């Protein structure tokens, strides 16, 4: 472990931001809460649908520039979209391309237009004279007949295009449920039954998507194939760790690389092959016999997929805001996952590592941090790099450090309370910070970029090392709330809800953002 620490300290740290320690020391500790919220707001603002489209799509006369390529516009542009954020994306895209847009169809969640109006998000709505048809469906984020009708309209539009046409495809999180197109003679209900049984049997998300693509006309590159020979340009707002194009909305513009036998192998693995309806077997029979018609290579050649918004981009925007606020930012990882208990432990140990009163942090802290890495989806390299920054901060006396991360942790449900993964993570990190033998005044925030954490009106919460004392003084039993997964109720009752993060509906979604602020060394209490 000493070798690991030595390695981490030897990493070259580029462009350190040196901040006046005296100016930071004059600020109250409560200002960290305000700055944490400002950093989160900047992360969300940086991935707003209109902003990411405007950043990625440019028009110069009759030329459309996207992803480093240029396309000629001759009143030949069509648009389709599906996902929770595509309404705002479509509105901005139409403003950019203007009259070159002939027709469009977008499939969006039920009630989203009314919700956006109620939240003052009129800029995300289409103009009254828009050439884009809005179709709502997928109540409760589940495929339904309304979403299926939307998918049929999208398929019809794409199938009628020629080699002279350009199809702009807008994709965001929730797109899979909003584009259900079961391959005939299978019904939507039969398709849902298969995937529901797979999920209940413990199938992974990769296995589920492999089967979904095999049962769908439009997923797994099916939409791009329908649009052939037209040029397809897909703008993607990613809500999946690592931004895998084949997993975001099940990859409607990405050729599936799954082998035909894989579908049956998955069904066999979970003992579902024998109970499949005859219609499903008929759809899968070509796969089983390896006689399915492969997508021609020219389809792939006529598709450009561009990720225009992601958790990584959100963290970069948050990092720039941190600099503006006099903080020293360090991005840990955009791929944090795993159980919130392990994630909260990682942040707790990192705070101990940063605030340790000894000249050098104990090797056992570094060892535990590296041991937790695989459990929470963070590479050892990123952990070593982060520890190096924290060590250098101690040695050279920089100002407050802003540790940034993102991803999508999970919660093990043991109760029936009201909460979400961000609020539960914040609550558990608060316990970690409260139990520190060395309290350094760290502040932690966890928030969902869509503005909604679980079935609550909060996006997340902000916490610190005073949480336990504050809760105890108000008669709140933290362990009881955690056992019941009731984090929203806890934070609502604690200090009149002041720790809750309440940005309202944001209109975007790139998973969660975590912010941990560590005050300057001179402000840390090493008693």
């Amino acid at each position: 472990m000493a070798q690991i620490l030595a390695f981490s300290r030897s990493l070259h740290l580029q462009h350190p931001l040196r901040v006046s320690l005296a100016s930071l020391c004059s600020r109250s500790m409560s200002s960290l809460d305000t700055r944490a919220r400002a950093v989160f707001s900047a992360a969300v603002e940086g991935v707003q649908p209109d902003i990411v489209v405007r950043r990625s799509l440019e028009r110069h006369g009759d030329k459309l520039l996207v992803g480093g390529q240029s396309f000629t516009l001759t009143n030949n542009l069509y648009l389709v979209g599906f996902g929770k954020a595509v309404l705002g994306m479509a509105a901005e895209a139409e403003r950019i391309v203007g009259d070159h847009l002939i027709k469009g169809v977008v499939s969006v969640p039920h009630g989203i237009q009314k919700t956006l109006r109620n939240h003052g998000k009129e800029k995300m709505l289409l103009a009254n004279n828009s050439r884009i048809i809005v179709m709502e469906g997928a109540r409760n984020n589940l495929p339904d007949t309304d979403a299926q009708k939307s998918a049929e309209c999208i398929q019809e539009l794409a199938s009628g295009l020629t080699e002279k046409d350009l199809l702009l495809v807008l994709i965001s999180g929730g797109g899979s449920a909003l584009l259900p197109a079961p391959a005939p003679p299978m019904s939507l209900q039969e398709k849902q039954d298969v995937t529901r049984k797979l999920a209940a049997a413990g199938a992974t998300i990769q296995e589920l998507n492999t089967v979904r693509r095999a049962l769908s006309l439009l997923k797994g590159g099916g939409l791009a194939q329908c649009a052939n020979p037209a040029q397809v340009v897909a703008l993607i707002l990613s809500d999946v760790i690592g931004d895998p194009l084949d997993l975001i909305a099940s990859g409607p513009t990405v050729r599936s690389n799954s082998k035909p036998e894989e579908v049956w192998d998955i069904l066999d693995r979970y003992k579902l092959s024998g109970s499949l309806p005859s219609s499903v077997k008929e759809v899968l029979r070509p796969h089983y016999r390896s006689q399915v018609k492969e997508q021609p290579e020219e389809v792939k050649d006529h598709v450009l997929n561009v990720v225009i918004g992601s958790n990584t981009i959100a963290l970069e925007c948050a990092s720039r805001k941190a600099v503006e606020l006099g903080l020293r930012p360090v991005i840990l990882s955009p791929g944090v996952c795993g159980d919130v208990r392990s994630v909260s432990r990682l942040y707790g140990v990192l705070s101990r590592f940063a605030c340790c009163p000894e000249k050098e942090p104990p090797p056992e802290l570094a060892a535990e941090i590296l041991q937790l890495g695989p459990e929470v989806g963070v590479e050892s390299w990123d952990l070593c790099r982060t520890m190096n920054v924290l060590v250098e901060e101690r040695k050279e006396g920089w100002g407050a450090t802003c540790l940034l991360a993102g991803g999508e942790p999970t919660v093990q449900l043991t109760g029936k309370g009201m909460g979400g993964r961000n609020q539960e993570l914040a609550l558990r990190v608060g316990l970690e910070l409260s139990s520190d033998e060395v309290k350094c005044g760290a502040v932690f925030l966890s928030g969902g970029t869509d503005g909604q954490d679980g079935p609550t009106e909060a996006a997340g919460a902000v916490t610190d090392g005073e949480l336990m004392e504050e809760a105890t003084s108000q008669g709140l039993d933290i362990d009881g709330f955690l056992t019941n997964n009731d984090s929203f109720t806890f934070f609502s009752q604690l200090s009149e809800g002041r720790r809750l993060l309440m940005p309202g509906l944001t209109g975007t979604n790139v998973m969660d953002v975590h912010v941990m602020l560590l005050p300057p060394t001179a402000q840390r209490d090493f008693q």
Side-chain angles (χ1 to χ4, degrees):
M1 187 49 58
Q3 291 179 336
I4 293 176
L5 277 174
F7 168 69
S8 71
R9 292 176 191 133
S10 68
L11 295 176
H12 178 62
L13 186 65
Q14 296 182 349
H15 308 298
L17 175 69
R18 301 182 182 277
V19 183
S20 170
L21 190 59
S23 64
L24 286 172
C25 287
S26 65
R27 301 176 185 175
S28 67
M29 291 299 295
S30 62
S31 71
L32 288 181
D33 177 294
T34 302
R35 283 187 280 175
R37 292 174 185 268
V39 169
F40 174 77
S41 295
V44 174
E45 181 66 21
V47 288
Q48 286 293 294
D50 58 332
I51 290 177
V52 295
V53 169
R54 193 161 57 246
R55 190 189 296 146
S56 309
L57 195 66
E58 297 182 38
R59 176 187 167 189
H60 297 286
D62 62 351
K63 297 294 183 182
L64 189 67
L65 305 179
V66 56
Q69 296 190 31
S70 175
F71 303 95
T72 301
L73 296 174
T74 56
N75 298 103
N76 60 339
L77 181 66
Y78 295 81
L79 182 150
V80 298
F82 31 91
K84 296 179 181 179
V86 301
L87 197 55
M89 296 169 70
E92 186 62 27
E94 186 170 21
R95 283 191 283 266
I96 292 172
V97 301
D99 291 340
H100 285 286
L101 176 64
I102 303 302
K103 182 181 179 181
V105 179
V106 292
S107 176
V108 298
H110 177 80
I112 192 171
Q113 295 177 94
K114 180 180 179 180
T115 302
L116 288 171
R117 288 191 186 94
N118 291 341
H119 283 78
K121 301 283 186 178
E122 285 81 3
K123 69 176 182 179
M124 294 187 183
L125 299 173
L126 297 172
N128 293 331
N129 61 346
S130 173
R131 298 182 181 182
I132 301 172
I133 299 171
V134 180
M135 303 182 72
E136 296 187 354
R139 290 176 182 265
N140 302 316
N141 200 32
L142 294 173
D144 56 20
T145 54
D146 288 335
Q148 186 175 2
K149 290 176 183 177
S150 304
E152 290 169 355
C153 290
I154 289 173
Q155 181 183 358
E156 181 181 359
L157 186 154
S159 299
L161 302 180
T162 71
E163 68 276 2
K164 297 180 181 179
D165 296 321
L166 174 62
L167 179 64
L168 187 61
V169 183
L170 308 178
I171 304 173
S172 74
S176 184
L178 288 160
L179 195 71
M186 179 180 51
S187 69
L188 177 60
Q189 185 61 51
E190 288 172 328
K191 179 186 175 185
Q192 286 181 270
D193 287 343
V194 173
T195 54
R196 190 180 297 114
K197 288 178 181 177
L198 273 173
T204 66
I205 185 62
Q206 290 81 7
E207 291 171 330
L208 284 168
N209 275 290
T210 297
V211 175
R212 283 194 189 110
R213 289 192 293 263
L215 300 179
S216 173
L217 290 175
L218 298 180
K219 296 179 173 67
L223 177 59
Q225 189 171 10
C226 285
N228 191 47
Q231 172 67 52
V232 176
V233 176
L235 304 183
I236 302 167
L237 189 61
S238 171
D239 69 334
V240 181
I241 288 176
D243 309 326
L245 298 178
D246 61 327
L247 291 188
I248 304 169
S250 298
T253 58
V254 182
R255 183 179 180 181
S256 176
N257 293 320
S258 299
K259 295 181 180 179
E261 297 80 7
E262 288 183 33
V263 179
W264 284 101
D265 287 343
I266 293 170
L267 294 170
D268 288 338
R269 188 175 305 132
Y270 296 101
K271 297 179 173 56
L272 294 176
S273 300
S275 61
L276 293 175
S278 58
S279 60
V280 177
K281 290 181 179 179
E282 183 174 342
V283 170
L284 294 177
R285 190 166 290 118
H287 294 263
Y288 185 59
R289 295 177 179 175
S290 299
Q291 293 176 350
V292 64
K293 182 179 178 181
E294 293 287 343
Q295 295 177 26
E297 283 294 332
E298 58 265 22
V299 173
K300 183 177 180 181
D301 294 339
H302 282 79
V303 177
L304 174 64
N305 289 299
V306 184
V307 175
I308 63 173
S310 66
N311 194 269
T312 296
I313 293 173
L315 294 181
E316 291 170 351
C317 295
S319 179
R320 288 193 288 271
K321 183 64 176 181
V323 173
E324 292 178 14
L325 296 173
L327 304 168
R328 180 18 168 130
V330 54
I331 297 176
L332 173 62
S333 170
V336 176
C337 58
D339 193 282
V340 290
R341 289 172 293 187
S342 297
V343 176
S344 64
R345 180 61 183 171
L346 174 66
Y347 287 126
V349 181
L350 280 170
S351 71
R352 290 176 175 84
F353 183 91
C355 301
C356 181
E358 287 84 6
K359 185 176 181 180
E360 298 290 345
E364 55 265 26
L365 289 180
E368 185 174 359
I369 289 170
L370 292 171
Q371 185 177 7
L372 285 165
E375 296 181 32
V376 299
V378 182
E379 298 289 341
S380 296
W381 169 262
D382 289 322
L383 293 169
C384 287
R385 173 179 52 79
T386 300
M387 286 189 283
N388 178 57
V389 173
L390 297 177
V391 168
E392 292 297 327
E393 187 275 337
R394 294 167 59 87
K395 289 181 177 179
E396 302 192 20
W398 297 331
T401 300
C402 178
L403 181 66
L404 296 166
E408 198 168 78
T410 56
V411 173
Q412 182 178 350
L413 296 178
T414 57
K416 299 181 179 180
M418 183 76 73
R421 61 177 179 265
N422 286 284
Q423 292 164 84
E424 180 151 335
L425 176 60
L427 182 49
R428 290 185 179 277
V429 172
L431 282 179
E432 289 281 344
L433 298 177
S434 297
S435 63
D436 277 351
E437 295 179 1
V438 180
K439 290 186 179 180
C440 64
V443 169
F444 179 81
L445 176 152
S446 182
T449 55
D450 61 355
Q452 184 176 28
D453 185 35
T456 76
E457 57 185 349
V462 186
T463 189
D464 57 31
E466 305 303 319
L467 181 74
M468 184 179 293
E469 182 179 347
E470 185 178 335
T472 301
S473 68
Q474 297 177 35
L476 299 176
D477 176 17
I478 293 180
D479 290 337
F481 284 101
L482 283 174
T483 300
N484 197 33
N485 299 118
D486 205 14
S487 53
F488 177 71
T489 303
F490 170 81
F491 280 114
S492 297
Q493 295 180 3
L494 182 70
S495 302
E496 300 179 337
R498 283 195 291 269
R499 290 180 179 271
L500 284 170
L501 186 62
M502 306 279 284
L505 182 72
T506 66
T508 191
N509 182 21
V510 294
M511 301 180 290
D512 306 334
V513 168
H514 306 155
V515 181
M516 187 161 71
L517 302 188
L518 299 162
T521 305
Q523 287 192 20
R524 299 175 188 169
D525 181 9
F526 293 146
Q527 298 178 356

PDB file of all heavy atoms in Angstrom, residues 179-194:
ATOM      1  N   LEU A 179     -40.737   4.401 -27.413  1.00  0.00           N
ATOM      2  CA  LEU A 179     -40.600   3.912 -28.783  1.00  0.00           C
ATOM      3  C   LEU A 179     -40.858   2.398 -28.846  1.00  0.00           C
ATOM      4  O   LEU A 179     -40.051   1.640 -29.353  1.00  0.00           O
ATOM      5  CB  LEU A 179     -39.202   4.231 -29.323  1.00  0.00           C
ATOM      6  CG  LEU A 179     -39.008   4.113 -30.839  1.00  0.00           C
ATOM      7  CD1 LEU A 179     -39.735   5.228 -31.562  1.00  0.00           C
ATOM      8  CD2 LEU A 179     -37.525   4.122 -31.193  1.00  0.00           C
ATOM      9  N   PRO A 180     -41.993   1.951 -28.329  1.00  0.00           N
ATOM     10  CA  PRO A 180     -42.270   0.510 -28.368  1.00  0.00           C
ATOM     11  C   PRO A 180     -42.811   0.098 -29.734  1.00  0.00           C
ATOM     12  O   PRO A 180     -43.826   0.619 -30.193  1.00  0.00           O
ATOM     13  CB  PRO A 180     -43.332   0.338 -27.278  1.00  0.00           C
ATOM     14  CG  PRO A 180     -44.067   1.637 -27.255  1.00  0.00           C
ATOM     15  CD  PRO A 180     -43.049   2.696 -27.612  1.00  0.00           C
ATOM     16  N   ALA A 181     -42.116  -0.823 -30.370  1.00  0.00           N
ATOM     17  CA  ALA A 181     -42.533  -1.286 -31.696  1.00  0.00           C
ATOM     18  C   ALA A 181     -42.333  -2.795 -31.762  1.00  0.00           C
ATOM     19  O   ALA A 181     -41.386  -3.289 -32.386  1.00  0.00           O
ATOM     20  CB  ALA A 181     -41.732  -0.581 -32.779  1.00  0.00           C
ATOM     21  N   PRO A 182     -43.211  -3.560 -31.115  1.00  0.00           N
ATOM     22  CA  PRO A 182     -43.059  -5.014 -31.101  1.00  0.00           C
ATOM     23  C   PRO A 182     -43.151  -5.600 -32.507  1.00  0.00           C
ATOM     24  O   PRO A 182     -44.024  -5.215 -33.291  1.00  0.00           O
ATOM     25  CB  PRO A 182     -44.221  -5.483 -30.225  1.00  0.00           C
ATOM     26  CG  PRO A 182     -45.221  -4.363 -30.251  1.00  0.00           C
ATOM     27  CD  PRO A 182     -44.411  -3.119 -30.387  1.00  0.00           C
ATOM     28  N   ALA A 183     -42.247  -6.518 -32.804  1.00  0.00           N
ATOM     29  CA  ALA A 183     -42.249  -7.144 -34.126  1.00  0.00           C
ATOM     30  C   ALA A 183     -43.476  -8.049 -34.256  1.00  0.00           C
ATOM     31  O   ALA A 183     -43.756  -8.848 -33.370  1.00  0.00           O
ATOM     32  CB  ALA A 183     -40.972  -7.957 -34.311  1.00  0.00           C
ATOM     33  N   PRO A 184     -44.249  -7.911 -35.331  1.00  0.00           N
ATOM     34  CA  PRO A 184     -45.441  -8.743 -35.504  1.00  0.00           C
ATOM     35  C   PRO A 184     -45.051 -10.201 -35.738  1.00  0.00           C
ATOM     36  O   PRO A 184     -43.956 -10.470 -36.246  1.00  0.00           O
ATOM     37  CB  PRO A 184     -46.103  -8.134 -36.749  1.00  0.00           C
ATOM     38  CG  PRO A 184     -44.981  -7.457 -37.475  1.00  0.00           C
ATOM     39  CD  PRO A 184     -44.042  -6.974 -36.438  1.00  0.00           C
ATOM     40  N   PRO A 185     -45.914 -11.129 -35.327  1.00  0.00           N
ATOM     41  CA  PRO A 185     -47.286 -10.957 -34.811  1.00  0.00           C
ATOM     42  C   PRO A 185     -47.366 -10.747 -33.306  1.00  0.00           C
ATOM     43  O   PRO A 185     -48.443 -10.810 -32.725  1.00  0.00           O
ATOM     44  CB  PRO A 185     -47.927 -12.283 -35.198  1.00  0.00           C
ATOM     45  CG  PRO A 185     -46.816 -13.274 -35.042  1.00  0.00           C
ATOM     46  CD  PRO A 185     -45.585 -12.558 -35.529  1.00  0.00           C
ATOM     47  N   MET A 186     -46.264 -10.465 -32.679  1.00  0.00           N
ATOM     48  CA  MET A 186     -46.232 -10.285 -31.225  1.00  0.00           C
ATOM     49  C   MET A 186     -46.931  -8.989 -30.823  1.00  0.00           C
ATOM     50  O   MET A 186     -46.801  -7.956 -31.490  1.00  0.00           O
ATOM     51  CB  MET A 186     -44.767 -10.258 -30.768  1.00  0.00           C
ATOM     52  CG  MET A 186     -44.545 -10.061 -29.292  1.00  0.00           C
ATOM     53  SD  MET A 186     -42.774 -10.062 -28.912  1.00  0.00           S
ATOM     54  CE  MET A 186     -42.167  -8.858 -30.106  1.00  0.00           C
ATOM     55  N   SER A 187     -47.668  -9.035 -29.717  1.00  0.00           N
ATOM     56  CA  SER A 187     -48.325  -7.840 -29.192  1.00  0.00           C
ATOM     57  C   SER A 187     -47.419  -7.122 -28.212  1.00  0.00           C
ATOM     58  O   SER A 187     -46.440  -7.688 -27.717  1.00  0.00           O
ATOM     59  CB  SER A 187     -49.635  -8.213 -28.488  1.00  0.00           C
ATOM     60  OG  SER A 187     -49.357  -8.926 -27.279  1.00  0.00           O
ATOM     61  N   LEU A 188     -47.759  -5.861 -27.921  1.00  0.00           N
ATOM     62  CA  LEU A 188     -46.981  -5.088 -26.949  1.00  0.00           C
ATOM     63  C   LEU A 188     -47.033  -5.757 -25.579  1.00  0.00           C
ATOM     64  O   LEU A 188     -46.019  -5.821 -24.877  1.00  0.00           O
ATOM     65  CB  LEU A 188     -47.520  -3.661 -26.869  1.00  0.00           C
ATOM     66  CG  LEU A 188     -46.853  -2.740 -25.836  1.00  0.00           C
ATOM     67  CD1 LEU A 188     -45.375  -2.586 -26.121  1.00  0.00           C
ATOM     68  CD2 LEU A 188     -47.547  -1.370 -25.817  1.00  0.00           C
ATOM     69  N   GLN A 189     -48.182  -6.268 -25.208  1.00  0.00           N
ATOM     70  CA  GLN A 189     -48.323  -6.923 -23.913  1.00  0.00           C
ATOM     71  C   GLN A 189     -47.428  -8.155 -23.814  1.00  0.00           C
ATOM     72  O   GLN A 189     -46.789  -8.402 -22.793  1.00  0.00           O
ATOM     73  CB  GLN A 189     -49.778  -7.312 -23.669  1.00  0.00           C
ATOM     74  CG  GLN A 189     -50.045  -7.892 -22.285  1.00  0.00           C
ATOM     75  CD  GLN A 189     -49.725  -6.906 -21.169  1.00  0.00           C
ATOM     76  OE1 GLN A 189     -50.172  -5.768 -21.192  1.00  0.00           O
ATOM     77  NE2 GLN A 189     -48.931  -7.347 -20.201  1.00  0.00           N
ATOM     78  N   GLU A 190     -47.363  -8.929 -24.884  1.00  0.00           N
ATOM     79  CA  GLU A 190     -46.523 -10.127 -24.884  1.00  0.00           C
ATOM     80  C   GLU A 190     -45.047  -9.765 -24.772  1.00  0.00           C
ATOM     81  O   GLU A 190     -44.280 -10.421 -24.056  1.00  0.00           O
ATOM     82  CB  GLU A 190     -46.781 -10.939 -26.154  1.00  0.00           C
ATOM     83  CG  GLU A 190     -48.131 -11.649 -26.151  1.00  0.00           C
ATOM     84  CD  GLU A 190     -48.461 -12.286 -27.484  1.00  0.00           C
ATOM     85  OE1 GLU A 190     -48.031 -11.740 -28.527  1.00  0.00           O
ATOM     86  OE2 GLU A 190     -49.169 -13.315 -27.495  1.00  0.00           O
ATOM     87  N   LYS A 191     -44.662  -8.709 -25.447  1.00  0.00           N
ATOM     88  CA  LYS A 191     -43.270  -8.260 -25.355  1.00  0.00           C
ATOM     89  C   LYS A 191     -42.943  -7.798 -23.936  1.00  0.00           C
ATOM     90  O   LYS A 191     -41.886  -8.136 -23.378  1.00  0.00           O
ATOM     91  CB  LYS A 191     -43.019  -7.120 -26.348  1.00  0.00           C
ATOM     92  CG  LYS A 191     -41.594  -6.575 -26.310  1.00  0.00           C
ATOM     93  CD  LYS A 191     -41.436  -5.360 -27.206  1.00  0.00           C
ATOM     94  CE  LYS A 191     -40.047  -4.755 -27.060  1.00  0.00           C
ATOM     95  NZ  LYS A 191     -39.900  -3.506 -27.840  1.00  0.00           N
ATOM     96  N   GLN A 192     -43.859  -7.043 -23.347  1.00  0.00           N
ATOM     97  CA  GLN A 192     -43.637  -6.563 -21.983  1.00  0.00           C
ATOM     98  C   GLN A 192     -43.583  -7.719 -20.986  1.00  0.00           C
ATOM     99  O   GLN A 192     -42.798  -7.684 -20.027  1.00  0.00           O
ATOM    100  CB  GLN A 192     -44.749  -5.588 -21.585  1.00  0.00           C
ATOM    101  CG  GLN A 192     -44.634  -4.227 -22.255  1.00  0.00           C
ATOM    102  CD  GLN A 192     -45.743  -3.296 -21.811  1.00  0.00           C
ATOM    103  OE1 GLN A 192     -46.812  -3.230 -22.401  1.00  0.00           O
ATOM    104  NE2 GLN A 192     -45.486  -2.564 -20.755  1.00  0.00           N
ATOM    105  N   ASP A 193     -44.416  -8.728 -21.217  1.00  0.00           N
ATOM    106  CA  ASP A 193     -44.416  -9.877 -20.309  1.00  0.00           C
ATOM    107  C   ASP A 193     -43.053 -10.577 -20.313  1.00  0.00           C
ATOM    108  O   ASP A 193     -42.555 -10.996 -19.259  1.00  0.00           O
ATOM    109  CB  ASP A 193     -45.514 -10.866 -20.709  1.00  0.00           C
ATOM    110  CG  ASP A 193     -46.903 -10.356 -20.355  1.00  0.00           C
ATOM    111  OD1 ASP A 193     -46.990  -9.422 -19.541  1.00  0.00           O
ATOM    112  OD2 ASP A 193     -47.890 -10.900 -20.904  1.00  0.00           O
ATOM    113  N   VAL A 194     -42.451 -10.717 -21.491  1.00  0.00           N
ATOM    114  CA  VAL A 194     -41.146 -11.377 -21.589  1.00  0.00           C
ATOM    115  C   VAL A 194     -40.085 -10.587 -20.842  1.00  0.00           C
ATOM    116  O   VAL A 194     -39.325 -11.137 -20.034  1.00  0.00           O
ATOM    117  CB  VAL A 194     -40.737 -11.565 -23.065  1.00  0.00           C
ATOM    118  CG1 VAL A 194     -39.308 -12.096 -23.150  1.00  0.00           C
ATOM    119  CG2 VAL A 194     -41.686 -12.518 -23.765  1.00  0.00           C
TER     120      VAL A 194
END
